[in-house]
Amino acid sequence: MKKAQTKQILDKNEKISHNNAKDITNNDKRRTEKDTNINIFLLICIIGVSLAILLEILNVRNRYDVCKDNKKLYWVYSAYSDVQNRKGLLKHVHLVLERIGYEKSTNKTPWTLLWSHDFPFRSLYPNLHKLRPNQKVNHFPGTGFITNKVDLATSESKYIPRAFKLPKNKAEFIKYAKLNKDAMFLEKHNQHRGVYLKNVTAIDSDSGESFVQEFIQKPFLVDGHKFDIGVYVVLTSVDPLRVYWYKGDVLFRYCPTKYYPFDANNLDKYVIGDDYLPTWEVPSLAQPYALGYSMKDAFDHYAKTKGLDTTRMWKDVQDAITEVFIKKEHHIVEALKNYPYQDNFFEMMRFDLVVDENLKVYLLEANMSPNLSSAHFPPNQLLYEQVLYNLFSLVGLSTNNDITDNNVRNMMSSQKNIAVYSGACNSICRDDCAVLDICKLCRPCLSTRLRSNLLNAHREYLHQGDFRRLFPPAMEPRANAVNATKFLNEANRLQYLWYQGKCNNDVSWCL
């Protein structure tokens, strides 16, 4: 009996011990599993964080690569290698482009802008016939008819001193010289090398290497110095024609030696060269210039002290330049027929003019690639960079938006921005687009080409900065445009009427 009880107690204890051991084993197993789960969780967290960091690194890199790929690129061209130098001839072109987000590149990249110091349409002919719509070139084909000295000088205009090609116009030259015995003539080389004042008898009219132009003998002088006036002008479109002038300032260059007593052998007395006398070194102009006034304002102040009003003079300056573009536009239109997109081109020139003692204006030449280097005169840096900045804004190169994207273009300028003459468009033009010229500006009558040009004109207005229109010219609200447009071709006439319509609605469009 006792043995049986003892055996039961031992069996019970063994069972309890076995269960305790089993519990301990299970607890150990659970702890191990828990520790394993924690380790797995921690590992997953570490892997997740690492992947997140890696993905962010990849995203940053991708964003950088996208920015790099989308960076606006430009390249420069010239026979002179100096243009590639950021401190050389085109120093300020490079600086301004870099400041507005451009990166210097080559022709082998998807560039946005070609800045050519030379006329590019011969040497780069194959490249420029394959331009994409978003690419811009800083010259128009055909503008050589404006910037070539001989072609411009021999154009008939009351603003251009009489000139004659030699020997082609020898007989006409001799006849003119006999009728104007007091006239003097500048002999200019056809290839832009050298200007010399000569008597008629000293001119070699048979060489074929020069042309002659009548010399303005009584120029207006500032402190005894002759000067010329350089006006920066931008052509953005032809057929229809749009031309702007930079009103922020003009470049005044003075002869380093006083004009009187006159000596034809001393070129510094009557020819403005690279080493001209700047405004800030002309005694009567130094003070107003030092006070922060522009070269133009300093000159206007001086003229006023002499009892003269320059208002008419500046109007004539604008008219003289405008006349050239109107007369030469057809050459550019013809040249553009060889290129796929007219909107690929723009051009900045500097027109040089002189005035006589009565402030009568004479146009002498137009420079295709005007000097933009301040190496000779560091204070000119501000003028050049402001002209360039305003130029790039005007032609749509300085905006951060992709203006080739239709959505972006529509945000800037859409149909409602170019709608004019609501009265006529809602009445007499509804059934007949030909009843009036202005009906062709109504939406149902508007041609695709004209609509595109007017949208471009609206965008230029938004971004013109310190540029103002030369053509179409300044207008008055509700003025009768019939007389002003009767000698214009259809494209220019319709564009003129459109500007008049905008002027009628908003006086800020009149200028």
Side-chain angles (χ1 to χ4, degrees), residues 422-436 438-439 442:
S422 60
C425 290
N426 281 287
S427 56
I428 59 176
C429 298
R430 291 184 66 176
D431 300 320
D432 188 353
C433 290
V435 66
L436 293 172
I438 60 173
C439 293
C442 301

Side-chain angles (χ1 to χ4, degrees), residues 7 16 40 182 245 292 341 399 420 478 500:
K7 186 174 184 304
I16 292 170
I40 292 173
D182 294 330
W245 71 289
Y341 304 107
T399 175
V420 290
R478 290 165 293 282
Q500 183 65 66

Side-chain angles (χ1 to χ4, degrees), residues 33 35 61 64 90 111 126 131 176 186 225 227 234 241 272-273 292 311 315 322 350 406 409 413 442 476 480:
E33 289 177 351
D35 290 343
R61 184 173 179 180
Y64 171 77
L90 298 181
W111 52 270
L131 295 175
Y176 183 84
L186 286 169
H225 295 272
F227 61 89
V234 176
L241 180 68
I272 292 94
T311 303
K315 179 66 169 58
T322 302
R350 192 192 71 220
N406 284 333
R409 292 169 71 86
S413 305
C442 301
E476 295 289 336
N480 187 340

Side-chain angles (χ1 to χ4, degrees), residues 46-60:
I46 292 170
I47 293 172
V49 171
S50 298
L51 285 173
I53 293 171
L54 180 61
L55 287 172
E56 182 60 23
I57 292 172
L58 291 174
N59 286 335
V60 169

Side-chain angles (χ1 to χ4, degrees), residues 107-142:
N107 187 31
K108 300 185 184 299
T109 60
W111 52 270
T112 302
L113 169 67
L114 161 61
W115 186 277
S116 180
H117 184 69
D118 300 336
F119 197 67
F121 297 103
R122 294 187 186 91
S123 52
L124 300 179
Y125 184 87
N127 306 74
L128 301 185
H129 280 264
K130 301 175 184 177
L131 295 175
R132 295 187 299 276
N134 68 314
Q135 293 181 305
K136 292 280 191 179
V137 180
N138 71 319
H139 293 290
F140 264 94

Side-chain angles (χ1 to χ4, degrees), residues 17 33 39 94 207 219 225 307 351 376 398 405 426 429 442:
S17 297
E33 289 177 351
N39 290 336
H94 291 295
S207 69
H225 295 272
F351 281 75
H376 275 69
S398 66
D405 185 311
N426 281 287
C429 298
C442 301

Side-chain angles (χ1 to χ4, degrees), residues 127-190:
N127 306 74
L128 301 185
H129 280 264
K130 301 175 184 177
L131 295 175
R132 295 187 299 276
N134 68 314
Q135 293 181 305
K136 292 280 191 179
V137 180
N138 71 319
H139 293 290
F140 264 94
T143 50
F145 287 94
I146 296 174
T147 57
N148 180 276
K149 283 190 175 184
V150 185
D151 286 333
L152 182 62
T154 53
S155 302
E156 288 198 18
S157 169
K158 66 178 182 179
Y159 298 109
I160 300 176
R162 285 295 303 272
F164 303 88
K165 295 179 183 178
L166 298 177
K168 181 180 179 180
N169 302 124
K170 177 180 177 179
E172 295 174 42
F173 167 56
I174 292 174
K175 180 180 179 180
Y176 183 84
K178 286 181 178 178
L179 293 173
N180 299 272
K181 294 184 179 180
D182 294 330
M184 300 179 73
F185 296 87
L186 286 169
E187 186 175 27
K188 302 183 179 183
H189 198 282
N190 290 342

